[in-house]
Amino acid sequence: MDRSMEQAVDEIIGSSASFHTNLAVEQLPRSRAYQIEMFDASMKKNVIVTMDTGSGKTHIALLRMRAELIWFLAPTVALCDQQHGEIVAWLPAVRTRLLLGPDKVDLWKEKRIWEAVLEGVQVVVSTHAILADALGHGFITMDRLALLVFDEAHHCARGHPANSIMKNFYHPHRDERGDQAVPDILGLTASPILRSKPKELQLIEANLHSISITPSVHRAELRTFVHPPSLKRVVYDVPSPKLPSKLSGMLRRLLSVRRSMDIHNDPYVLTTLSDEGRAWKVPKIVDSRKTYSEDQMKKFCSRAQRVQEELGSWGADFYITTCVSRFGDLTRSKREMALDWDDDEYAYLLGLLDEVTRDTLDDTTDDCLPAISPKVEELLKVITSETRDDLVAIVFVEQRATAYCLSELLHAHPWTRDRIRSGTFVGMSNYSGGRKGLWELSDARGQSETLEAFRKGEKNLIVTTSVLEEGIDISACNVVICFSKPPTLKSFVQRRGRARQKNATYVIMFASDDESGGTEKWQQLEREMIAMYRSQTRTVEEGPVCDDLEDDDRELRVPSTGALLRPEWAVSRLYHFCAVLPAQPYTDLRPAFQVDEDALSHRFSATVTLPNSVDAAVRQSVSHKAWLSEQKARKDAAFQAYMALYRAGLLNEHLLPLRSTYDDVTLGTVEKRPSLVAASEQYNPWVEMAKSWATSSTCRCKPITILRPGRTSVTLNLLLSLPIESPLSFSLHVDKTSTFQAQVARGSETRDVGEEDLKMLRSATDLLLRAVYRTRMSTDARDFLALFAPCLDFSSLEAWVQRYSGDLPALGVEGIEKDAWPYGLLRTTDERGTPFVYRGTFEGQDDTLDAKALELSPLPRRRNFLHYGFITDETDGATNGEESSSNSASNVITLSPATCKVDRLPMEWTQFALFIPSILHRLETAHVAEAMCKHVLGGMQFHDIGLVITAISASSASDVSNYQRLEFLGDSVLKMVVSGQLFSKHTSWHEGYLSAHRDAVVSNARLARAAVDTGLDRYIITRQFTGQKWRPWYISELTGLCDDGKRTISTKILADVVEALIGAAFIDGGFERAVRCMRRFLPEVDDQSHEALLRARAYRSSRPQTTSEAPHLSDLERLLDHRFKDKSLLREALTHPSCDADLSSVSYQRLEFLGDAVLDMIMVQHVFDQSAIQAHGHLHLLKTAMVNANMLTYIALSASIESTRTVVKMETHGRTIRKHEMAETVHTALWKFLKHETDQVTRAQKDMETRSAPLKPELENALLGNTDVQADKEHEPALPQTGAKQGARYYPWHTLSLLGGEKFFSDMVESLFGAVYVDSQGDLSVCVHVAEKLGLLAILRRLLRDKVDVTHPKNRLGVLAGDRSVEYVFVRESPRSDQEVLRDRDDGDDGERQEWRCVVKIAGDEIVRVSALSSSYGIPATAVKEEMVIRAAEAAIVALSA
């Protein structure tokens, strides 16, 4: 498992507290005889244990928990949590895992995630849906499981996920591989029948492949633990249907308002009607009345009427009043429901409801008795008739609204308020984050507290729905009341099981007109079922029973993973696929279903259309046949659509969208990377050379020439044991005015070296080195790694060495002119032998001095001549830590010739010796670069090895150059190539897939891993060269050394070096060589260039090309100065995602993905070529300034084409009408060519046009030249004139932010570049020409020419702040004391934007505070926030500079 995978799993496991393991000894409670009887039966065959609530069914499952992997399934989250607690409590040594929604299991979209999470786990507890989903995607297989436990097993029928597990996975697997390949089944239930039909028992048993059993041998013992309550029948009067119903005043007004609602005034209808692209939907909406407001009112009225029927007028009025009050609070606070509603719908509904609740509700007193229903009155009599002091009661009702209102009534009614402490429990699953309706009353936050209070005795009565019938553990009750007759045998049995105390009462309320015969039929049916359970001769039916008259058995199964798709799952899967499409404003990403009914057969067929970002070939699907129901037709169409997506390669082998996988074979996500990793020690070529000297008698001779302007050049031979083939030319910076050039020829001459020759070569090298480095050299060792000698035959070396060895007395040398000095350095005759450079002769006048003294200057200690470490007249210093001496007169000293001696070795050779450390360092880096090319790049040859040296040199090496500029270029080259290849190869992928894959390929984590995998890390130069500490290497010192150690290196450096090498390859040989370099690190990159792929027949055949003219687009072609060969590309580049009517084309998103990379490449290449001396940081700033969204929005607004049109005017002269045709000049801006189908885009365009008009002159002046225009005080605050910034011109970050452009403006510009690039078959020069025509390159040239400061205000403030932290905090200022604070969060428009302030804090102290501009209304919230941040940063700069 790779590191990113381990991190993902660690996060999943670490984020959940539901994983339990404890090595304590297991201590199960003592098993009862009937439990052991059931356990023994379950070990022999699959069974459904049927026993009363409270009899210990879970204990039987605990006895079975000894297998490899057991999956315990329960229907609700609360029951899962409860059963998991039981397992952990009684089996602490068993490793268990609870999987629920809060664990974000729905995000575990990779099989390895599941394998890692379940490693070592023995028991998993989850809902049925979680296991069904994991099986459906092939993450879990049936042969992995040893036992399936179905708690509340009666759910295993029809479309329940429990039945899906058995029907779609268990039974097919068993049929294919036999009983040994499937897990055992253990079902637990109080009643296996949901309804009241005996045949349901056979259905449940067949579905679960199990036999229902109940204790028979030890049934007497079971009765001692189960206490059947006494059954009590209560009849309430039902008003005669002949009498008019008496409704409460509020309910009458509510129904009246509902009837008076005009669908044509509905906000949704009005909004749709105003949108040209959707106006055609209005008649259908009016006919169906399917709007949010209509739906809310319809459901509200229905529930209010039901409360009236059940509880009476008081209950209806209370329900209506409370709902309206809560609705107002919720919508005004923008929480829960209102988050999904438009403001217009909120205001519309609230206006309707204000009329309903004009009266207040009276307090509940004895006078309210007539306002309650006869049914409630009978209930109150039942409760008050219970005289026991320890009342523990449950009242079951049918609806949530009834439960809430009845609880309040019991709490407030004078008959019960002093005795009853009531609460409501209606379940928690529906409040996990979905929208609450107008009719909803219950609070999810209070549900758990209600149960806990009931268990503790703080509440003695709970009003609940069927949610409390099963599973959830609560106190045993002594009174259970069914406010309405139980609908099924299952409800009858399970509710009865709640009355588990001795002498408990089970009350069932019947209407007076109920002729069903009471509960006798259920009791008789229960006796029949028990008799069947106890039968020893029954056998289970084979295979699941089909209980659907129109069952669809089709399926899509992936053999490689076992992933499965059934029609009944297809709709939700399709919605999920669309949900992960790239989000776009003003675009509905949901699949659109259209259902049509055949007039003759009355059967339905459906068509589903996907958003236009999906490939046109699979965007629309039709059901394969007609169905009896609309729902079946929708499922069929969705199934067809999902199969088409899979066949088109838009789903992975787990039938999931590609982008939702962690590490899919086809598409991965961005890896996570640590900041530092262990890497190989830097390659040291001298170790290899030392070993080669010891094993070979040949050497490589390479001449090195030092070109000295104004003087003769000096050439020496360098002899090494290994070749350095590349030619080198580099500068040696001698002093303030002198720069020499070192030249190393290409190739080398192989020479045989005998022992005598080697001895003389070492002597010559020793002579040269000792002239300068004698204090750092061994006194007797001469086995130098690098040998230097004059360009002489080996036979002449001895004479050269003898001639220039040793020294002479300095007496007699005085008087020689400096330029004619034939010797070398002068040294003092003392032990130190301090070296000096001869400057001339001093004519002494003082008697204390010799008549002629020597003027000398100390030999500079600087040894690194690769940097500009000049010797100046004022100061001593050198770059890179080198110390320099001055050559000023203050450093010239005079010494008597008698105290000095002079080297025989001439100064020109001595000076060469000074350069030897710099020369060898440069040769070392060249050898490292060559070795890297050979071992990492597969022998790739570069014309300029200096590019490679630069690419592998980190800034920490402080060398002449580093990789940063090349990395800037290589990053864009990599992005361009990968984008182009993905676009060309995956013609059906939408922009989301393309972006996700590109991000995964070009991520720093991926590149860093590639650097280590290929061994590049060994060749990255991070070690600093310090000439002052240089000493010669000896063979004997390095022969035994190994360079296989480790060092810690930043992953960013690893990734940057890969990109720098790509940049170097691009400079050396264009895209072709860059691609070759990429493939050494990224095998997923195609060996063909992206241009070649665009020209390939396979790509061209995938596009619906057209050459037909588009008259309305000819002006755009003139604006771009490019005539499209394929007109469909231009249409696609202008198609907004809201256009869903044309099924033959897609939106501009794919072309925008490609155009983004093309535009980046154009800008980066121009910035790189025209900014040769600019630091890499400034290059990044320039690129950002040119390609940010606000800049591209400006281009869309400013670029326009002039055209002439004919205008016809009619003039009347008396009875004569004359027609005049006039030519009119029109300027059409680029943004006006956008094609869309929504009025919201039109409004956004018009708002932008209005907003940008006053900003255009200022932006034009700022971007194209004239900077004398005064800034608007509200828009552009004055910038500080400090330090180096005096007189500088600033990039208009703030003015651009005031445009507040929607994303589609910049997307349109990028998509046009993508279209031009594809149409020109990858010719980047054509795109450069378009950039010129649109004015982008003119702006770039101006920024470069005038040295415009493009630093973002946030960055500038960060520099001023230094080491202090800078924080931007958004604060809502309001009269409330509890102010809300946002940090780095994008909020939607909440109608209260003027209340927000942006506060700049430095080191925790507030510096400035700015508010939103009054002109920001209508601007997207993210743009408003960006503008506030920029303005706040600029204000803070002024404050700090004051």
Coordinates of all heavy atoms in Angstrom, one line a residue, residues 1106-1170:
T1106 N -17.7 20.0 -38.7 CA -18.5 20.7 -39.7 C -17.7 21.9 -40.2 O -17.1 22.6 -39.5 CB -19.8 21.1 -39.1 OG1 -20.6 21.8 -40.1 CG2 -19.7 22.0 -37.9
T1107 N -17.9 22.1 -41.5 CA -17.2 23.3 -42.1 C -18.3 24.3 -42.6 O -17.9 25.3 -43.2 CB -16.4 22.9 -43.3 OG1 -17.2 22.2 -44.3 CG2 -15.3 22.0 -42.9
S1108 N -19.5 24.1 -42.2 CA -20.6 25.0 -42.7 C -20.4 26.3 -42.0 O -20.0 26.4 -40.8 CB -22.0 24.4 -42.3 OG -22.0 24.2 -40.9
E1109 N -20.7 27.4 -42.7 CA -20.5 28.7 -42.3 C -21.5 29.1 -41.2 O -22.6 28.6 -41.2 CB -20.6 29.7 -43.4 CG -19.5 29.6 -44.5 CD -18.1 29.9 -43.9 OE1 -18.1 30.7 -43.0 OE2 -17.1 29.4 -44.4
A1110 N -21.1 29.9 -40.3 CA -22.0 30.4 -39.2 C -21.9 31.9 -39.3 O -21.0 32.6 -38.8 CB -21.5 30.0 -37.8
P1111 N -22.8 32.6 -40.1 CA -22.7 34.0 -40.3 C -22.6 34.8 -39.1 O -21.8 35.8 -39.1 CB -24.0 34.3 -41.1 CG -24.5 33.0 -41.7 CD -24.0 32.0 -40.7
H1112 N -23.3 34.5 -38.0 CA -23.2 35.3 -36.8 C -21.9 35.2 -36.1 O -21.6 35.9 -35.2 CB -24.3 34.9 -35.9 CG -24.3 33.5 -35.4 ND1 -24.5 32.4 -36.2 CD2 -24.0 33.1 -34.1 CE1 -24.4 31.3 -35.4 NE2 -24.1 31.7 -34.2
L1113 N -21.0 34.2 -36.5 CA -19.8 34.0 -35.9 C -18.6 34.5 -36.7 O -17.4 34.4 -36.3 CB -19.6 32.5 -35.5 CG -20.5 31.9 -34.5 CD1 -20.2 30.4 -34.3 CD2 -20.5 32.7 -33.2
S1114 N -18.9 34.9 -37.9 CA -17.8 35.4 -38.8 C -17.1 36.6 -38.2 O -15.9 36.8 -38.3 CB -18.3 35.7 -40.2 OG -19.4 36.7 -40.1
D1115 N -17.9 37.5 -37.5 CA -17.3 38.6 -36.8 C -16.3 38.2 -35.7 O -15.3 38.8 -35.5 CB -18.4 39.5 -36.2 CG -19.1 40.3 -37.2 OD1 -18.6 40.4 -38.4 OD2 -20.2 40.8 -36.9
L1116 N -16.7 37.1 -35.0 CA -15.7 36.6 -34.0 C -14.5 36.1 -34.6 O -13.4 36.3 -34.1 CB -16.4 35.5 -33.2 CG -15.6 34.9 -32.1 CD1 -15.1 35.9 -31.1 CD2 -16.4 33.8 -31.3
E1117 N -14.6 35.4 -35.8 CA -13.4 34.9 -36.5 C -12.5 36.1 -36.9 O -11.3 36.0 -36.8 CB -13.8 34.1 -37.7 CG -14.4 32.7 -37.3 CD -14.7 31.9 -38.5 OE1 -15.4 32.4 -39.4 OE2 -14.3 30.7 -38.6
R1118 N -13.1 37.2 -37.3 CA -12.3 38.4 -37.6 C -11.7 39.0 -36.4 O -10.5 39.4 -36.4 CB -13.2 39.4 -38.3 CG -13.6 39.1 -39.7 CD -14.2 40.3 -40.4 NE -15.3 40.9 -39.8 CZ -15.3 42.2 -39.2 NH1 -14.2 42.9 -39.3 NH2 -16.4 42.6 -38.7
L1119 N -12.4 38.9 -35.3 CA -11.8 39.4 -34.0 C -10.6 38.6 -33.6 O -9.5 39.2 -33.2 CB -12.8 39.4 -32.9 CG -12.4 39.7 -31.5 CD1 -11.7 41.1 -31.4 CD2 -13.5 39.6 -30.5
L1120 N -10.7 37.3 -33.7 CA -9.6 36.4 -33.4 C -8.5 36.4 -34.5 O -7.4 35.9 -34.3 CB -10.1 35.0 -33.1 CG -11.1 34.9 -32.0 CD1 -11.6 33.4 -31.9 CD2 -10.6 35.3 -30.7
D1121 N -8.9 36.8 -35.7 CA -8.0 36.7 -36.9 C -7.6 35.3 -37.1 O -6.5 35.0 -37.4 CB -6.8 37.6 -36.7 CG -6.1 37.8 -38.1 OD1 -6.8 37.7 -39.1 OD2 -4.9 38.1 -38.1
H1122 N -8.6 34.4 -37.0 CA -8.4 33.0 -37.2 C -9.7 32.4 -37.9 O -10.8 32.5 -37.3 CB -8.1 32.2 -36.0 CG -8.0 30.7 -36.2 ND1 -6.9 30.1 -36.8 CD2 -8.9 29.7 -35.9 CE1 -7.1 28.8 -36.8 NE2 -8.3 28.6 -36.3
R1123 N -9.6 31.9 -39.0 CA -10.7 31.3 -39.7 C -10.7 29.8 -39.4 O -9.8 29.0 -39.7 CB -10.6 31.5 -41.2 CG -11.9 31.0 -42.0 CD -11.8 31.5 -43.4 NE -13.0 31.0 -44.1 CZ -14.2 31.7 -44.1 NH1 -14.3 32.8 -43.4 NH2 -15.2 31.2 -44.8
F1124 N -11.8 29.3 -38.7 CA -11.9 27.9 -38.3 C -12.1 27.0 -39.4 O -13.0 27.2 -40.2 CB -13.0 27.8 -37.2 CG -12.6 28.2 -35.8 CD1 -12.6 29.6 -35.5 CD2 -12.1 27.3 -34.9 CE1 -12.2 30.0 -34.2 CE2 -11.7 27.7 -33.6 CZ -11.8 29.0 -33.3
K1125 N -11.3 25.9 -39.4 CA -11.6 24.9 -40.4 C -12.8 24.0 -39.9 O -13.6 23.6 -40.7 CB -10.3 24.0 -40.6 CG -9.1 24.7 -41.0 CD -7.9 23.7 -41.0 CE -6.6 24.5 -41.3 NZ -6.2 25.3 -40.1
D1126 N -12.9 23.8 -38.6 CA -14.0 23.1 -38.0 C -14.8 24.0 -37.2 O -14.5 24.4 -36.1 CB -13.4 22.0 -37.1 CG -14.5 21.1 -36.5 OD1 -15.7 21.3 -36.8 OD2 -14.2 20.2 -35.7
K1127 N -16.0 24.4 -37.8 CA -16.8 25.4 -37.2 C -17.4 24.9 -35.9 O -17.8 25.7 -35.0 CB -17.9 25.8 -38.1 CG -17.4 26.3 -39.5 CD -16.6 27.6 -39.4 CE -16.2 28.1 -40.8 NZ -15.3 29.2 -40.7
S1128 N -17.6 23.6 -35.7 CA -18.2 23.1 -34.5 C -17.3 23.4 -33.3 O -17.8 23.5 -32.2 CB -18.4 21.5 -34.6 OG -17.1 20.9 -34.7
L1129 N -16.0 23.5 -33.5 CA -15.2 23.9 -32.4 C -15.5 25.3 -31.9 O -15.5 25.5 -30.6 CB -13.7 23.8 -32.8 CG -13.1 22.5 -32.9 CD1 -11.7 22.5 -33.6 CD2 -12.9 21.8 -31.5
L1130 N -15.7 26.2 -32.8 CA -16.1 27.6 -32.4 C -17.4 27.6 -31.6 O -17.6 28.3 -30.6 CB -16.1 28.5 -33.6 CG -16.3 29.9 -33.3 CD1 -15.3 30.5 -32.3 CD2 -16.3 30.7 -34.6
R1131 N -18.4 26.8 -32.2 CA -19.7 26.8 -31.5 C -19.5 26.2 -30.1 O -20.2 26.7 -29.2 CB -20.7 25.9 -32.3 CG -21.0 26.6 -33.7 CD -22.2 25.8 -34.3 NE -22.6 26.3 -35.6 CZ -22.1 25.8 -36.7 NH1 -21.3 24.8 -36.7 NH2 -22.5 26.4 -37.9
E1132 N -18.8 25.1 -30.0 CA -18.6 24.5 -28.7 C -17.9 25.4 -27.7 O -18.3 25.5 -26.5 CB -17.7 23.2 -28.8 CG -17.5 22.5 -27.5 CD -16.7 21.2 -27.8 OE1 -16.9 20.6 -28.8 OE2 -15.9 20.8 -26.9
A1133 N -16.9 26.2 -28.2 CA -16.2 27.2 -27.3 C -17.1 28.3 -26.8 O -16.8 28.9 -25.8 CB -15.0 27.8 -28.1
L1134 N -18.3 28.5 -27.4 CA -19.2 29.6 -27.0 C -20.4 29.0 -26.3 O -21.3 29.8 -26.0 CB -19.6 30.4 -28.2 CG -18.4 31.0 -29.0 CD1 -19.0 31.7 -30.3 CD2 -17.7 32.0 -28.2
T1135 N -20.5 27.7 -26.1 CA -21.7 27.1 -25.5 C -21.6 27.0 -24.0 O -20.8 26.3 -23.4 CB -21.9 25.7 -26.1 OG1 -22.0 25.8 -27.5 CG2 -23.2 25.1 -25.5
H1136 N -22.4 27.8 -23.3 CA -22.5 27.8 -21.8 C -23.1 26.5 -21.3 O -24.0 25.9 -22.0 CB -23.3 29.0 -21.4 CG -23.3 29.2 -19.9 ND1 -24.2 28.7 -19.1 CD2 -22.4 29.9 -19.1 CE1 -24.0 29.0 -17.8 NE2 -22.9 29.7 -17.8
P1137 N -22.7 26.0 -20.2 CA -23.3 24.8 -19.6 C -24.8 24.8 -19.5 O -25.4 23.7 -19.3 CB -22.6 24.6 -18.3 CG -21.3 25.3 -18.4 CD -21.6 26.5 -19.3
S1138 N -25.4 26.0 -19.5 CA -26.9 26.0 -19.3 C -27.6 25.6 -20.6 O -28.8 25.4 -20.6 CB -27.3 27.4 -19.0 OG -27.0 28.4 -20.0
C1139 N -26.9 25.5 -21.7 CA -27.5 25.1 -23.0 C -27.7 23.6 -23.0 O -26.8 22.8 -23.3 CB -26.6 25.5 -24.2 SG -26.4 27.3 -24.3
D1140 N -28.9 23.1 -22.8 CA -29.2 21.7 -22.8 C -30.2 21.3 -23.9 O -30.6 20.1 -23.9 CB -29.7 21.2 -21.4 CG -30.9 22.0 -20.9 OD1 -31.5 22.8 -21.8 OD2 -31.3 21.9 -19.8
A1141 N -30.6 22.2 -24.7 CA -31.5 21.9 -25.7 C -30.9 21.2 -26.9 O -31.5 20.2 -27.5 CB -32.2 23.2 -26.3
D1142 N -29.7 21.5 -27.3 CA -29.0 20.9 -28.4 C -28.2 19.7 -27.9 O -27.2 19.8 -27.2 CB -28.0 21.9 -29.0 CG -27.3 21.4 -30.2 OD1 -27.7 20.2 -30.7 OD2 -26.4 22.0 -30.8
L1143 N -28.7 18.5 -28.3 CA -28.1 17.3 -27.8 C -26.9 16.8 -28.6 O -26.2 15.8 -28.3 CB -29.1 16.1 -27.8 CG -30.3 16.3 -26.9 CD1 -31.3 15.2 -27.1 CD2 -29.9 16.4 -25.5
S1144 N -26.6 17.6 -29.7 CA -25.5 17.2 -30.6 C -24.1 17.8 -30.2 O -23.1 17.5 -30.7 CB -25.8 17.6 -32.0 OG -25.9 19.0 -32.1
S1145 N -24.2 18.8 -29.2 CA -22.9 19.4 -28.8 C -22.8 19.4 -27.3 O -23.8 19.1 -26.6 CB -22.9 20.9 -29.3 OG -23.9 21.6 -28.7
V1146 N -21.6 19.8 -26.9 CA -21.3 19.8 -25.4 C -20.9 21.3 -25.1 O -20.7 22.1 -25.9 CB -20.2 18.9 -25.0 CG1 -20.6 17.4 -25.2 CG2 -18.9 19.2 -25.8
S1147 N -20.8 21.5 -23.8 CA -20.5 22.9 -23.3 C -19.0 23.1 -23.6 O -18.2 22.2 -23.9 CB -20.8 23.1 -21.9 OG -19.9 22.3 -21.1
Y1148 N -18.6 24.4 -23.3 CA -17.2 24.8 -23.5 C -16.2 24.2 -22.5 O -15.0 24.5 -22.5 CB -17.1 26.3 -23.6 CG -17.6 27.0 -22.3 CD1 -17.1 26.7 -21.0 CD2 -18.5 28.1 -22.4 CE1 -17.5 27.4 -19.9 CE2 -18.9 28.8 -21.3 CZ -18.4 28.5 -20.1 OH -18.8 29.1 -19.0
Q1149 N -16.7 23.4 -21.5 CA -15.8 23.1 -20.4 C -14.6 22.3 -20.8 O -13.5 22.5 -20.2 CB -16.7 22.3 -19.4 CG -17.7 23.2 -18.7 CD -18.7 22.4 -17.8 OE1 -19.5 21.8 -18.4 NE2 -18.5 22.5 -16.5
R1150 N -14.7 21.3 -21.8 CA -13.6 20.6 -22.2 C -12.5 21.5 -22.9 O -11.3 21.4 -22.6 CB -14.0 19.5 -23.2 CG -14.4 18.2 -22.5 CD -14.9 17.2 -23.5 NE -13.9 16.9 -24.6 CZ -12.9 16.1 -24.5 NH1 -12.7 15.4 -23.4 NH2 -12.0 16.0 -25.5
L1151 N -13.0 22.4 -23.7 CA -12.1 23.3 -24.4 C -11.5 24.3 -23.4 O -10.3 24.7 -23.6 CB -12.8 24.0 -25.5 CG -13.2 23.2 -26.8 CD1 -14.0 24.0 -27.7 CD2 -11.9 22.7 -27.5
E1152 N -12.3 24.7 -22.4 CA -11.7 25.6 -21.4 C -10.6 24.9 -20.6 O -9.6 25.5 -20.2 CB -12.9 26.0 -20.4 CG -12.5 26.9 -19.3 CD -12.2 26.1 -18.0 OE1 -12.8 25.1 -17.8 OE2 -11.3 26.5 -17.2
F1153 N -10.8 23.6 -20.3 CA -9.7 22.8 -19.7 C -8.4 22.9 -20.5 O -7.3 23.1 -20.0 CB -10.1 21.4 -19.5 CG -9.0 20.4 -19.3 CD1 -8.5 20.2 -18.0 CD2 -8.5 19.6 -20.3 CE1 -7.5 19.3 -17.8 CE2 -7.5 18.7 -20.1 CZ -7.0 18.6 -18.8
L1154 N -8.5 22.7 -21.8 CA -7.3 22.7 -22.7 C -6.8 24.1 -22.8 O -5.6 24.4 -22.8 CB -7.7 22.1 -24.0 CG -6.6 22.1 -25.1 CD1 -5.4 21.2 -24.6 CD2 -7.1 21.6 -26.4
G1155 N -7.7 25.1 -23.0 CA -7.3 26.5 -23.2 C -6.6 27.1 -22.0 O -5.7 27.9 -22.2
D1156 N -7.0 26.6 -20.8 CA -6.3 27.1 -19.6 C -4.8 26.7 -19.7 O -3.9 27.6 -19.4 CB -6.9 26.4 -18.4 CG -6.1 26.6 -17.2 OD1 -5.9 27.7 -16.7 OD2 -5.6 25.5 -16.6
A1157 N -4.5 25.5 -20.2 CA -3.1 25.1 -20.3 C -2.4 25.8 -21.5 O -1.2 26.2 -21.4 CB -3.0 23.6 -20.5
V1158 N -3.1 26.1 -22.6 CA -2.6 26.8 -23.7 C -2.2 28.2 -23.3 O -1.1 28.7 -23.6 CB -3.5 26.8 -24.9 CG1 -3.1 27.7 -26.0 CG2 -3.8 25.3 -25.4
L1159 N -3.1 28.9 -22.7 CA -2.9 30.3 -22.3 C -1.7 30.3 -21.3 O -0.9 31.3 -21.4 CB -4.1 30.9 -21.7 CG -4.2 32.4 -21.4 CD1 -3.8 33.1 -22.7 CD2 -5.5 32.8 -20.9
D1160 N -1.7 29.4 -20.3 CA -0.5 29.3 -19.4 C 0.8 29.2 -20.2 O 1.8 29.9 -19.9 CB -0.7 28.1 -18.5 CG -1.2 28.6 -17.1 OD1 -1.8 29.6 -17.0 OD2 -1.1 27.8 -16.2
M1161 N 0.8 28.3 -21.2 CA 2.0 28.1 -21.9 C 2.5 29.3 -22.7 O 3.7 29.7 -22.7 CB 1.8 26.9 -22.9 CG 3.0 26.4 -23.5 SD 4.2 25.6 -22.4 CE 5.7 26.4 -22.8
I1162 N 1.5 30.0 -23.3 CA 1.9 31.2 -24.0 C 2.5 32.3 -23.1 O 3.5 32.8 -23.4 CB 0.6 31.8 -24.7 CG1 0.1 30.8 -25.8 CG2 0.9 33.1 -25.3 CD1 -1.2 31.2 -26.4
M1163 N 1.8 32.5 -22.0 CA 2.3 33.6 -21.1 C 3.6 33.2 -20.5 O 4.5 34.0 -20.4 CB 1.2 33.8 -20.0 CG 0.0 34.5 -20.5 SD 0.3 36.1 -21.3 CE -0.6 35.8 -22.8
V1164 N 3.8 32.0 -20.1 CA 5.0 31.5 -19.4 C 6.2 31.6 -20.4 O 7.3 32.1 -20.0 CB 4.8 30.1 -18.9 CG1 6.2 29.5 -18.5 CG2 3.9 30.1 -17.6
Q1165 N 5.9 31.2 -21.6 CA 7.0 31.2 -22.6 C 7.5 32.6 -22.9 O 8.7 32.9 -23.0 CB 6.6 30.5 -23.9 CG 7.8 30.0 -24.7 CD 7.3 29.1 -25.8 OE1 6.1 28.7 -25.9 NE2 8.3 28.6 -26.6
H1166 N 6.5 33.5 -23.0 CA 6.9 34.9 -23.3 C 7.6 35.5 -22.0 O 8.5 36.3 -22.2 CB 5.6 35.7 -23.7 CG 5.3 35.6 -25.1 ND1 4.8 34.4 -25.7 CD2 5.4 36.5 -26.1 CE1 4.6 34.6 -26.9 NE2 4.9 35.8 -27.3
V1167 N 7.0 35.3 -20.9 CA 7.6 35.8 -19.7 C 9.1 35.3 -19.5 O 10.0 36.0 -19.2 CB 6.8 35.5 -18.4 CG1 7.5 35.8 -17.1 CG2 5.5 36.3 -18.4
F1168 N 9.2 34.0 -19.7 CA 10.5 33.4 -19.6 C 11.6 33.9 -20.6 O 12.7 34.3 -20.2 CB 10.4 31.9 -19.8 CG 11.7 31.1 -19.5 CD1 11.9 30.6 -18.2 CD2 12.6 30.8 -20.4 CE1 13.0 29.9 -17.9 CE2 13.7 30.1 -20.2 CZ 14.0 29.6 -18.9
D1169 N 11.1 34.1 -21.8 CA 12.1 34.5 -22.9 C 12.4 36.0 -22.7 O 13.5 36.4 -23.0 CB 11.4 34.3 -24.3 CG 11.3 32.8 -24.6 OD1 12.0 32.0 -23.9 OD2 10.5 32.5 -25.5
Q1170 N 11.5 36.8 -22.2 CA 11.7 38.2 -22.2 C 12.1 38.7 -20.8 O 12.3 39.9 -20.6 CB 10.4 39.0 -22.6 CG 10.0 38.6 -24.0 CD 8.8 39.4 -24.5 OE1 8.6 40.6 -24.1 NE2 8.0 38.8 -25.4

